[in-house]
């Protein structure tokens, strides 16, 4: 009896804490946890993709399995997760902001524009702005993640191939931040942000658009199934990536251009970099690593949506439409009380 009473008191205490957390904070927590789990699960594919995008001759000639073998022999298992600490440090706040901002923008639009409805177009707009918001707040972490992943260890002595000097070898997240800031200031931490924004607006918007559009054709009793979320989310992610992937390649090239010893051409902007890549390597380079990106989209989306839904249920986040109704109702009641 005493143990049951103690357990009951703990549950009541925890329930009180959960109920006291604001809705936007619950969405931040759910999104951050989902992003961290999903990113870590696909970290090896992400590392290879970045190397494909930025080290054309060295890794593209090896192919997918050859690249995996090379990293396994030279760096061991930790090599597949090089830069993942910075990646998770970025993706947790990014995913948290992305999910929360999407939900908030969606509610704001519905609340501010009566009669707008809740169709896929709303998700396109809300998703686009949410993606842009998340990128602006977390871009320096993405830059650091890319620089760390770009470094290739040739031996246990940490000899890095293809770098201008050994002084540019980054020892970790803090060291990379410090050296990048000393080299070019705030501007250096946001190198390549323009193509990121160009790419994230259509990608984030299209991802949410396709996902909600496909879900609208799914029977109501199947919408909560994990398999349904996996199928809809994966297809949406693949379609969105295909349309915007060249901008991702441009962004990576701009982020690491100062690290490459063979890069004598100064890339001044998004269009300039795009033209340079096509002239030097052909238009196919704009899609380098895309097939690998497809391989990581499916598990990433599956884990992301699953964990996000689990966290929302655990934190007792109301369904999206219920939350919208609650916001609209409370707004109308407050307007009536002031009349």
């Amino acid at each position: 009896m005493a143990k049951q009473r103690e357990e009951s008191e703990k549950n009541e205490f925890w329930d009180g804490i959960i109920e006291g957390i604001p809705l936007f904070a619950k969405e931040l927590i759910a999104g951050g946890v989902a992003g961290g789990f999903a990113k870590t699960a696909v970290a090896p594919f992400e590392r290879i993709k970045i190397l494909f995008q930025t080290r054309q001759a060295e890794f593209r000639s090896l192919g997918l399995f050859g690249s995996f073998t090379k990293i396994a022999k030279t760096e061991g298992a930790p090599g597949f997760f090089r830069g993942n600490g910075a990646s998770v440090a970025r993706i947790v706040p990014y995913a948290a902001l992305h999910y929360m901002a999407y939900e908030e923008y969606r509610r704001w639009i519905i609340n501010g524009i009566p009669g707008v409805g809740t169709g896929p177009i709303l998700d396109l707009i809300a998703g686009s702005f949410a993606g842009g918001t998340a990128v602006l707040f977390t871009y320096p972490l993405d830059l650091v993640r890319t620089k760390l992943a770009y470094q290739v260890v040739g031996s246990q002595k940490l000899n890095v191939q293809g770098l201008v000097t050994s002084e540019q070898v980054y020892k970790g997240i803090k060291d990379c931040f410090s050296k990048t800031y000393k080299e070019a200031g705030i501007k250096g931490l946001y190198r390549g942000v323009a193509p990121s924004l160009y790419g994230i607006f259509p990608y984030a918007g299209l991802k949410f658009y396709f996902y909600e559009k496909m879900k609208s054709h799914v029977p109501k009793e199947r919408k909560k199934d994990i398999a349904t979320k996996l199928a809809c989310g994966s297809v949406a992610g693949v379609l969105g990536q295909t349309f915007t992937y060249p901008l991702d390649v441009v962004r990576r090239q701009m982020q690491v251009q100062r690290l490459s010893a063979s890069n004598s051409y100064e890339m001044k902007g998004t269009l300039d970099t795009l033209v340079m890549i096509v002239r030097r390597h052909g238009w196919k380079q704009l899609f380098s690593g895309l097939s690998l990106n497809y391989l990581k989209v499916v598990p990433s989306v599956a884990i992301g949506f699953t964990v996000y839904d689990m966290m929302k249920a655990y934190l007792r986040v109301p369904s999206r439409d219920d939350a919208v109704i609650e916001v609209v109702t409370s707004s109308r009641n407050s307007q009536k009380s002031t009349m």
Side-chain angles (χ1 to χ4, degrees), residues 68-245:
F68 268 100
T69 302
K70 178 181 175 68
I71 291 176
K73 288 182 178 179
T74 59
E75 303 178 51
F80 293 110
F81 295 90
R82 182 174 299 280
N84 188 56
S87 183
V88 171
R90 165 195 170 264
I91 202 63
V92 168
Y94 174 83
L97 283 170
H98 197 171
Y99 278 110
M100 187 276 291
Y102 165 70
E103 306 283 7
E104 288 295 324
Y105 282 134
R106 197 173 184 275
R107 287 193 286 266
W108 290 346
I109 293 172
I110 292 175
N111 191 28
I113 309 176
V116 71
T118 58
I121 296 300
L122 171 64
D123 299 299
L124 175 67
I125 298 172
S128 296
F129 280 100
T133 300
V135 164
L136 286 175
F137 277 95
T138 62
Y139 186 79
L141 288 167
D142 181 53
L143 178 76
V144 169
R145 183 275 303 261
T146 299
K147 286 190 173 186
L148 291 174
Y150 179 77
Q151 295 180 163
V152 178
V153 179
S155 69
Q156 294 181 349
K157 295 182 180 181
L158 299 180
N159 295 321
V160 179
Q161 304 171 357
L163 299 183
V164 179
T165 66
S166 59
E167 295 179 356
Q168 287 184 312
V169 177
Y170 303 115
K171 300 176 181 178
I173 298 173
K174 184 179 180 180
D175 184 55
C176 188
F177 260 115
S178 177
K179 289 182 178 178
T180 301
Y181 181 77
K182 287 180 180 178
E183 179 186 328
I186 295 296
K187 184 178 179 180
L189 292 174
Y190 278 87
R191 179 176 297 277
V193 72
S196 293
L197 290 173
Y198 299 155
I200 197 60
F201 266 91
Y203 172 66
L206 287 171
K207 181 175 66 175
F208 280 110
Y209 172 84
F210 287 130
Y211 179 66
E212 295 299 330
K213 185 67 174 178
M214 286 186 290
K215 271 206 330 183
S216 66
H217 296 289
V218 176
K220 188 175 182 178
E221 64 274 10
R222 295 292 303 277
K223 287 186 177 181
K224 293 184 178 181
D225 292 351
I226 293 178
T228 299
K229 294 180 182 294
L230 170 62
C232 294
S234 298
V235 173
V238 167
L239 291 175
Q241 276 289 307
T242 303
F243 286 119
T244 61
Y245 191 79

Side-chain angles (χ1 to χ4, degrees), residues 259-280:
L259 298 180
S260 177
S262 61
N263 189 10
S264 60
Y265 182 81
E266 178 70 19
M267 295 175 282
K268 299 179 179 179
T270 303
L271 183 60
D272 188 43
T273 306
L274 184 69
V275 172
M276 183 279 295
I277 292 173
V278 173
R279 286 179 176 176
R280 285 190 172 187

